[in-house]
Amino acid sequence: MNVGIHGQPRTNIALGAAGIDLSEWTTCLVYDGTPGTRTFVVPPGKSEALEIVVGAGGSGAVVRTTASSGSATGGGGGGFAAAIVPVTPGSAIQYTVGQGGAPATLTNAATTASAAGVAGGTSSIGSAVSATGGNGGSPSGAAVTGGQGSVSIG
């Protein structure tokens, strides 16, 4: 999860393929990869934040078989979301860093067994920007989906 803070509001900023000039964002408040929920405080004189989140990836599936090969898939990647959000100096903003999918485990000693991967957790900043985690891998070899990003400002 990343947050860049800028002093002057701007309009019509594209966060798409063209990207933005990150040199304008001189104060990086938070770069946090440790799962959990925490709070940061907007510094004085700052009016907007570039908020970037990535959901946690899902874990891969596991297959034990007597055949020469299995067909399990890896977990899906986490979603991505980014937005420029108006902020108020001194306000506290809660953010969450999603936990990566826990390893798939086999719970029995059978010669052949399988277990699906576990989905990754959602990452978010306040209520404006969030990205879901990727789905867990499939023990059948079926495709899995990555996470989704969403922005809700206003």
Side-chain angles (χ1 to χ4, degrees):
M1 194 270 315
N2 292 309
V3 176
I5 298 294
H6 190 269
Q8 299 299 315
R10 290 161 302 120
T11 59
N12 301 322
I13 305 257
L15 291 175
I20 63 172
D21 181 5
L22 292 178
S23 66
E24 296 180 30
W25 299 88
T26 57
T27 304
C28 183
L29 270 184
V30 179
Y31 171 78
D32 194 339
T34 303
T37 298
R38 290 172 282 289
T39 301
F40 67 87
V41 177
V42 177
K46 304 305 178 183
S47 58
E48 61 184 11
L50 170 60
E51 299 179 351
I52 302 169
V53 295
V54 178
S59 65
V62 62
V63 173
R64 179 179 11 190
T65 177
T66 57
S68 60
S69 64
S71 60
T73 60
F80 171 86
I84 295 172
V85 178
V87 294
T88 302
S91 65
I93 299 173
Q94 186 173 333
Y95 68 94
T96 300
V97 178
Q99 173 74 45
T105 57
L106 298 176
T107 58
N108 62 43
T111 304
T112 60
S114 64
V118 178
T122 296
S123 296
S124 63
I125 303 174
S127 60
V129 182
S130 68
T132 61
N135 287 319
S138 168
S140 68
V144 297
T145 57
Q148 300 288 316
S150 67
V151 175
S152 175
I153 301 172

